[in-house]
Amino acid sequence: MKTIGIVGLGVMGASFAQRAKALGYRVLGIDLDPDTIEYAVMRGMVDKGSTDASILLDQCDIVLLALYPRQMQKWLLRYQHDMNPGTLILEISGVKSNVTQPAQALLRDDLELLSIHPMCGRESRGIEFADPAIFDQANFIIIPQPSNSTNAIVFTSAFAKELGCKNVSVLSVEEHDRMIGFLSQLTHVIAVALMNTHENSHLVEYTGDSFRDLTRIAKINEDMWTELFLLNKDILLDEIDQFAASVQQFRDLLVREDVDAMKSAMVQSTARRKKFDR
Amino acid sequence: MKTIGIVGLGVMGASFAQRAKALGYRVLGIDLDPDTIEYAVMRGMVDKGSTDASILLDQCDIVLLALYPRQMQKWLLRYQHDMNPGTLILEISGVKSNVTQPAQALLRDDLELLSIHPMCGRESRGIEFADPAIFDQANFIIIPQPSNSTNAIVFTSAFAKELGCKNVSVLSVEEHDRMIGFLSQLTHVIAVALMNTHENSHLVEYTGDSFRDLTRIAKINEDMWTELFLLNKDILLDEIDQFAASVQQFRDLLVREDVDAMKSAMVQSTARRKKFDR
């Protein structure tokens, strides 16, 4: 029976903990907040928990870091010496370019750090929103570095499937951050911008599903996402510009009342969207 | 037992038919397509159906028009003489400014036309996507004109509740079209523009829920929505411009790395979005 230490029992970390425990892993929870530890232990999300990583890390075969990206380096500098040689560290930060390589650079030679990104989550933060069902049918991405072993990649692929994820795929850091800039970061910018377009609370009793769907992710963890946007700034700015140009292009068709071109744009979006149906 | 004639057995009309039949109304279906009529009759969605409105209309207490907005005037000119005096006609077109008043102007004095808008639907077209559950918890709007009777408004309000709708509210034509321009039309423009931003089929295996949510309505009936956008052109252009400005404003914050202002924008969007939770 393998022991997994989960560092950071937020929505993601605690969801991992619950699912891993259900799968039969021994799960140890680490968080700075004693109330969060108590919550996790009381509800049986973890087998044991502590605010002090150093007393649990030497029991772990695998350590999953579910921290804000900018905390990761600091955490590794402080706690990597408490881990056993051969410990596999998984990290789930939402961007990789300015995160993975610096972390690899400071790592002990006898530890292994593998970057992963399960494409799921919740718009609310905190352990009380944890839900192991987020992994069901989710896409799961592995972002390997030259230092990663085949063993670690094989274990992690199988672990992703155990968690309930549907597709497990591999991307380079650059491919990952470009993909995330479009699929995840741009969509959050759109949702925030739409929600902030103008005052709209008087519209609640009239709304349908469209507006609710487009703004679900406008409920956003401002600390984490500001960090993620800045770490992927150049790519995100480029994606925003391409999207803004696409909006303007459609606007021009409407101004000119170009019925055929408007319909073509909708036929194209319909065809493209069909590929994304589950 | 009242008899309702439903004209146009698309997604909306056929969903109305199914729910009305379950509620105990006698339901007559009218559609230009004989296959659609056969489908509706075979599946018990309607008690009777015909491609010829004139043979069914004199049996109806209520006639619900679920037609494309530009077809409505033509249909009324052709068939209103087949209805009994006192028939209540409900119409559900997605914009009202350039639709409701012209239709009222041509109507027989002894018929009553009341504009309604149930805020629900499906992104796919056609009777096979009909689903009476779309009405559950939906918002329902009545857009009365000076010619409408209290009786018709009271009946329709109660009918909306019977259908399963949650809130029934009243708006003027102008308020309705402004609201729709933002909540419904702008959101569809955004979804289409996002889906068309650049080629993206290679991203299917990486995507999470955010992108799926924001693009669900990019699967769009191009004929109907082009018509709706043109009928509400000035308002929609204004809403697109306000949204585009909101995107640019957020983009500027990212360029300047103004962390505090980025967080404030997200705190605002989060607070606003919470009001729209069901």
Side-chain angles (χ1 to χ4, degrees):
Chain A
M1 189 173 64
K2 293 214 179 204
T3 297
I4 304 189
I6 301 197
V7 183
L9 293 173
V11 153
M12 289 304 297
S15 299
F16 265 106
Q18 285 184 287
R19 181 54 55 96
K21 235 181 103 56
L23 291 168
Y25 290 91
R26 182 163 169 261
V27 178
L28 308 181
I30 294 159
D31 198 282
L32 289 176
D33 177 13
D35 292 342
T36 298
I37 294 294
E38 196 192 327
Y39 186 101
V41 173
M42 295 277 288
R43 278 172 179 72
M45 295 167 145
V46 298
D47 292 287
K48 228 197 251 190
S50 176
T51 55
D52 183 4
S54 61
I55 63 167
L56 295 179
L57 288 171
D58 66 349
Q59 302 173 39
C60 298
D61 304 297
I62 301 143
V63 171
L64 185 125
L65 302 181
L67 297 166
Y68 284 24
R70 289 216 159 107
Q71 293 175 326
M72 202 169 77
Q73 288 185 52
K74 264 180 284 183
W75 191 93
L76 282 171
L77 279 172
R78 176 152 176 200
Y79 290 110
Q80 63 172 330
H81 299 289
D82 297 312
M83 294 186 223
N84 293 322
T87 302
L88 171 62
I89 307 165
L90 301 174
E91 69 83 13
I92 64 161
S93 64
V95 292
K96 303 300 184 191
S97 302
N98 298 303
V99 178
T100 306
Q101 275 120 338
Q104 295 283 357
L106 63 80
L107 203 70
R108 268 168 54 190
D109 284 346
D110 57 353
L111 298 175
E112 178 164 358
L113 173 64
L114 179 60
S115 289
I116 60 173
H117 195 168
M119 294 295 289
C120 55
R122 280 284 174 271
E123 62 272 21
S124 301
R125 68 174 96 180
I127 192 167
E128 57 272 37
F129 296 98
D131 179 4
I134 61 175
F135 298 109
D136 296 335
Q137 300 299 305
N139 288 320
F140 188 103
I141 301 160
I142 297 177
I143 305 97
Q145 294 292 295
S147 60
N148 288 125
S149 66
T150 310
N151 272 349
I153 293 169
V154 167
F155 165 78
T156 305
S157 308
F159 182 53
K161 279 290 190 184
E162 272 193 295
L163 288 170
C165 296
K166 191 182 176 186
N167 298 307
V168 184
S169 43
V170 171
L171 288 177
S172 70
V173 166
E174 295 67 30
E175 289 166 336
H176 172 272
D177 287 0
R178 173 55 73 175
M179 175 276 288
I180 274 298
F182 177 64
L183 289 182
S184 171
Q185 298 192 326
L186 175 60
T187 51
H188 281 78
V189 170
I190 291 171
V192 169
L194 175 57
M195 207 69 227
N196 289 347
T197 292
H198 48 59
E199 220 293 299
N200 46 45
S201 57
H202 61 292
L203 299 177
V204 170
E205 62 194 297
Y206 312 120
T207 193
D209 289 336
S210 309
F211 186 74
R212 282 208 181 87
D213 279 0
L214 264 84
T215 56
R216 180 181 61 81
I217 55 175
K219 284 209 296 194
I220 185 168
N221 175 336
E222 71 277 7
D223 297 317
M224 189 179 74
W225 283 92
T226 298
E227 217 174 291
L228 291 172
F229 287 171
L230 291 173
L231 285 165
N232 206 29
K233 180 180 168 183
D234 293 341
I235 288 175
L236 178 54
L237 286 175
D238 180 54
E239 293 291 345
I240 292 173
D241 290 344
Q242 291 190 59
F243 167 70
S246 181
V247 170
Q248 284 308 313
Q249 210 176 335
F250 193 87
R251 184 192 186 283
D252 291 344
L253 303 180
L254 179 56
V255 169
R256 295 204 307 271
E257 305 197 1
D258 187 338
V259 169
D260 291 341
M262 285 171 73
K263 288 186 184 180
S264 297
M266 296 186 206
V267 168
Q268 174 173 276
S269 71
T270 299
R272 286 188 171 173
R273 181 56 178 79
K274 279 181 182 160
K275 299 197 178 134
F276 284 83
D277 284 348
R278 278 188 195 277
Chain B
M1 190 173 63
K2 293 213 178 204
T3 298
I4 304 190
I6 301 199
V7 183
L9 294 173
V11 154
M12 290 304 298
S15 299
F16 264 106
Q18 285 183 287
R19 180 56 53 97
K21 235 181 102 58
L23 291 168
Y25 290 91
R26 182 164 169 261
V27 178
L28 309 181
I30 294 157
D31 198 281
L32 289 176
D33 176 13
D35 292 341
T36 298
I37 294 294
E38 196 192 327
Y39 186 101
V41 172
M42 294 278 287
R43 278 171 179 71
M45 294 168 144
V46 299
D47 293 286
K48 227 196 252 187
S50 175
T51 54
D52 182 3
S54 62
I55 64 166
L56 294 178
L57 288 171
D58 67 347
Q59 302 173 40
C60 299
D61 304 296
I62 301 143
V63 172
L64 185 123
L65 303 181
L67 296 166
Y68 283 24
R70 289 216 159 106
Q71 294 176 326
M72 202 169 76
Q73 287 184 53
K74 265 181 283 182
W75 191 93
L76 282 170
L77 279 171
R78 175 149 176 203
Y79 290 111
Q80 63 172 328
H81 300 289
D82 297 313
M83 294 186 222
N84 294 324
T87 303
L88 171 61
I89 307 165
L90 301 174
E91 68 84 13
I92 64 161
S93 64
V95 291
K96 303 301 184 188
S97 301
N98 299 304
V99 178
T100 307
Q101 276 121 339
Q104 294 284 356
L106 63 80
L107 203 71
R108 269 168 55 190
D109 285 345
D110 57 354
L111 297 176
E112 177 163 0
L113 174 64
L114 179 59
S115 288
I116 61 174
H117 195 167
M119 294 294 290
C120 54
R122 281 284 176 269
E123 62 273 20
S124 301
R125 67 175 96 180
I127 192 167
E128 57 273 37
F129 296 99
D131 179 2
I134 61 175
F135 298 110
D136 296 334
Q137 299 299 307
N139 288 319
F140 188 102
I141 302 160
I142 298 177
I143 304 98
Q145 294 292 296
S147 60
N148 288 125
S149 66
T150 310
N151 272 349
I153 293 169
V154 166
F155 165 78
T156 305
S157 308
F159 182 54
K161 279 291 191 186
E162 271 192 296
L163 288 170
C165 296
K166 190 181 177 187
N167 298 307
V168 184
S169 43
V170 171
L171 287 178
S172 70
V173 166
E174 295 70 27
E175 289 166 333
H176 172 272
D177 286 0
R178 172 56 72 174
M179 176 276 289
I180 275 296
F182 177 65
L183 289 183
S184 172
Q185 298 191 326
L186 175 60
T187 51
H188 281 77
V189 169
I190 291 171
V192 169
L194 174 57
M195 208 68 227
N196 288 347
T197 293
H198 48 60
E199 219 294 299
N200 45 46
S201 57
H202 61 294
L203 299 177
V204 169
E205 61 194 300
Y206 312 120
T207 193
D209 288 336
S210 309
F211 186 74
R212 282 209 181 86
D213 280 0
L214 263 83
T215 55
R216 180 181 61 82
I217 55 176
K219 284 209 297 195
I220 186 168
N221 175 336
E222 71 277 6
D223 297 317
M224 188 179 74
W225 283 92
T226 299
E227 214 174 292
L228 291 171
F229 287 171
L230 291 172
L231 285 164
N232 206 29
K233 179 180 169 182
D234 294 341
I235 288 175
L236 178 54
L237 287 175
D238 181 54
E239 294 291 344
I240 292 173
D241 291 342
Q242 291 191 58
F243 166 71
S246 181
V247 171
Q248 284 309 314
Q249 209 176 336
F250 192 88
R251 186 192 185 283
D252 291 344
L253 302 180
L254 180 56
V255 169
R256 294 204 307 272
E257 306 197 0
D258 187 339
V259 169
D260 291 341
M262 285 171 73
K263 288 187 183 179
S264 297
M266 295 187 206
V267 168
Q268 175 173 276
S269 71
T270 300
R272 284 187 174 173
R273 181 56 179 77
K274 280 183 181 158
K275 297 196 179 134
F276 285 82
D277 285 347
R278 279 189 194 275

